[in-house]
Amino acid sequence: MFDILSVFIVVVGLVVFEVVNSIDNAIVNAHILKTMSQWARRWFLIWGLITAVFLIRGVLPFLILWLTHPDVSFIQAWHIVFSGDINLSKEHFEETSFILLLGGGMFLLLLYFHWLFLEKKNPFFPIDKLIEPRNYGVWFFAVAALLLVLVLYFARENPIAMLSAAVGNAGFFILYGFRETAEKEEQKMLSGQSTKSDISKLLFLEVLDASFSIDSVVGAFAFTTSIPLILLGNGIGALVVRELTIKSIDKVAKYRWLKNGAMTSIGFLGGFMILEGFGVHIPEWLPTLTTIGLVGVAFYYSRKLIKKQGNHLV
């Protein structure tokens, strides 16, 4: 049963997860905004909130929840989700939540393994230090394939569960292809080679923002299936990230290992979702505790390093 403490724990976890998971996006946004005129910056930072907070973090979670529960009509889902009865929403969607959990868990685990094996990083956690210096990048695709085979094997008696895992896998690689293209376009903009107008850049940032938001939206379901709570937690986190984009994203970027904490927490959340999808009970406080713990440790040692190097945070 949801009580005030449970709601508080879930919302805090969602806010922390949203903020740390969106730092890379905020840094990209800040750099591109510097190449745009004043009116375009204001438009993105103010009116873009409608898209970032309400459309992406409000409508998208609802659509995901509805599409992964084929026994519920759109109108029924809307009534259940926004009736204000959190327990009713949780109980109604619990029976078929494995569809969402397996697909979302697969997506998040692939996101983590992609970062671990293929992306450049400053190693912090033991597994980072094991993988990074040895250039095991080629193993990402082997791990991704084996992970899919493993999940499909354990879900073999339920075709819907197998389809969910396959959709999560496909969704990651589709998004991965889009981001590869977006990164090349971003480099053109930052190098001055792009001749795009401010309107084109605004559209690019909105689409890029939406693609990054998918990670946060999918990860939010590791904390709760309550759309109002997801909207509240992720919405607050998105507002914080916008504020950082305007005022102090360069300071946040100094925290060397913050992304390690964020991405490692994504790996754990993906694991939690898959385990829950197979019926393993995960305490509702565990995702929040794990996220805050990993991010907190990374933040603490990053701050300690900054002080040791004599850099200023203010």
Side-chain angles (χ1 to χ4, degrees):
M1 181 175 180
F2 269 80
D3 53 28
I4 297 300
L5 180 59
S6 299
V7 169
F8 177 76
I9 289 172
V10 168
V11 171
V12 168
L14 287 169
V15 171
V16 172
F17 178 68
E18 172 69 35
V19 171
V20 297
N21 191 47
S22 300
I23 288 173
D24 272 3
N25 186 21
I27 291 172
V28 171
N29 288 348
H31 288 163
I32 294 177
L33 284 170
K34 290 176 182 177
T35 69
M36 297 162 64
S37 62
Q38 197 63 35
W39 74 266
R41 295 180 195 178
R42 280 198 304 271
W43 181 275
F44 177 76
L45 294 171
I46 297 174
W47 296 106
L49 281 175
I50 296 174
T51 304
V53 176
F54 297 105
L55 185 59
I56 302 299
R57 290 161 178 83
V59 176
L60 184 57
F62 169 75
L63 289 176
I64 291 174
L65 198 61
W66 171 57
L67 289 171
T68 54
H69 294 81
D71 60 319
V72 180
S73 71
F74 183 88
I75 301 300
Q76 287 175 318
W78 184 272
H79 174 71
I80 292 168
V81 166
F82 294 103
S83 65
D85 189 339
I86 295 173
N87 290 313
L88 173 65
S89 177
K90 183 181 179 184
E91 290 168 10
H92 193 93
F93 289 119
E94 212 162 44
E95 287 185 11
T96 51
S97 61
F98 69 90
I99 302 173
L100 169 61
L101 292 168
L102 288 177
M106 176 68 72
F107 180 89
L108 291 182
L109 272 179
L110 288 174
L111 194 66
Y112 167 66
F113 284 129
H114 181 273
W115 174 81
L116 182 65
F117 286 104
L118 291 179
E119 296 182 32
K120 291 195 176 295
K121 67 186 72 63
N122 296 302
F124 177 66
F125 294 109
I127 192 168
D128 307 345
K129 296 176 181 178
L130 176 67
I131 299 296
E132 178 70 15
R134 291 170 174 77
N135 192 23
Y136 289 141
V138 67
W139 284 96
F140 164 71
F141 298 98
V143 170
L146 290 173
L147 176 64
L148 180 60
V149 170
L150 191 64
V151 173
L152 290 178
Y153 174 78
F154 283 108
R156 64 190 182 280
E157 295 181 4
N158 189 333
I160 299 297
M162 295 177 71
L163 177 62
S164 173
V167 169
N169 182 278
F172 168 79
F173 283 103
I174 290 170
L175 194 64
Y176 167 73
F178 170 79
R179 286 187 181 170
E180 287 286 297
T181 304
E183 282 181 12
K184 293 176 183 176
E185 187 61 36
E186 173 202 339
Q187 292 303 318
K188 287 183 182 178
M189 290 185 187
L190 297 179
S191 65
Q193 297 177 16
S194 175
T195 57
K196 288 184 178 291
S197 66
D198 281 348
I199 293 178
S200 297
K201 290 179 181 178
L202 273 174
L203 292 173
F204 173 80
L205 284 177
E206 289 294 352
V207 173
L208 190 64
D209 206 34
S211 75
F212 273 99
S213 298
I214 291 174
D215 305 347
S216 298
V217 169
V218 173
F221 286 106
F223 296 86
T224 181
T225 56
S226 170
I227 303 303
L229 290 186
I230 290 175
L231 178 56
L232 178 62
N234 281 11
I236 293 172
L239 290 172
V240 172
V241 171
R242 290 284 165 135
E243 189 67 18
L244 288 174
T245 302
I246 298 169
K247 294 183 177 178
S248 55
I249 196 62
D250 290 335
K251 296 173 187 175
V252 176
K254 291 181 181 179
Y255 289 83
R256 178 179 293 186
W257 296 304
L258 204 55
K259 186 172 182 180
N260 299 64
M263 295 307 298
T264 305
S265 71
I266 283 176
F268 274 95
L269 293 177
F272 292 155
M273 290 180 77
I274 286 180
L275 289 175
E276 278 195 286
F278 284 118
V280 177
H281 173 67
I282 302 294
E284 61 187 18
W285 50 263
L286 189 56
T288 295
L289 184 65
T290 302
T291 300
I292 292 177
L294 290 169
V295 172
V297 169
F299 176 86
Y300 172 77
Y301 281 100
S302 296
R303 187 177 181 85
K304 197 172 179 181
L305 179 65
I306 291 170
K307 289 183 176 180
K308 183 178 178 181
Q309 293 176 338
N311 291 330
H312 296 289
L313 295 175
V314 295

